[in-house]
């Protein structure tokens, strides 16, 4: 079910095309989150990021994307 997530542009924004993430996003004014299982050839891992008090949701989504990219660079093959 989580692989069918329709909302994009958070965790996957800066990841290589074809990266498999089974995740759940959510947002309200000033709040953004993404929680997911990254399925990569080398290993699988879970990443959960919750952001509260962001000046705007676009900035929070950018932060989620950068965190996911950094973690991907450490844990992906």
């Amino acid at each position: 079910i989580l692989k069918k997530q329709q909302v994009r542009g958070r965790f996957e924004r800066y990841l290589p095309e074809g990266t498999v993430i089974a995740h759940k996003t959510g947002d309200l004014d000033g709040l953004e989150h993404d929680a997911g299982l990254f399925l990569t050839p080398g290993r699988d891992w879970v990443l959960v990021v919750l952001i509260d008090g962001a000046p705007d949701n676009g900035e929070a989504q950018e932060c989620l994307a950068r965190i996911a990219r950094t973690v991907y660079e450490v844990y992906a093959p």
Side-chain angles (χ1 to χ4, degrees), residues 25-54:
T25 63
D27 61 87
L28 293 171
D29 288 341
L31 302 170
E32 287 283 338
H33 80 261
D34 205 345
L37 176 63
F38 288 68
L39 308 167
T40 64
R43 68 173 78 177
D44 300 333
W45 72 91
V46 174
L47 178 62
V48 178
V49 181
L50 308 155
I51 298 175
D52 182 7

Side-chain angles (χ1 to χ4, degrees), residues 1-4 11 15-23 36-47 71-72 75-77:
I1 292 171
L2 292 176
K3 282 185 179 179
K4 295 178 183 180
F11 278 172
L15 300 181
E17 186 74 29
T19 301
V20 178
I21 309 171
H23 62 123
L37 176 63
F38 288 68
L39 308 167
T40 64
R43 68 173 78 177
D44 300 333
W45 72 91
V46 174
L47 178 62
V71 173
Y72 182 89
Y75 288 105

Side-chain angles (χ1 to χ4, degrees), residues 8-19 21 34 38 45 58-73 76:
R8 301 285 179 205
R10 290 171 175 86
F11 278 172
E12 61 284 314
R13 183 180 298 182
Y14 298 123
L15 300 181
E17 186 74 29
T19 301
I21 309 171
D34 205 345
F38 288 68
W45 72 91
E59 185 175 313
Q61 291 172 12
E62 176 70 16
C63 184
L64 289 169
R66 289 180 182 199
I67 291 169
R69 179 185 59 201
T70 300
V71 173
Y72 182 89
E73 290 171 353

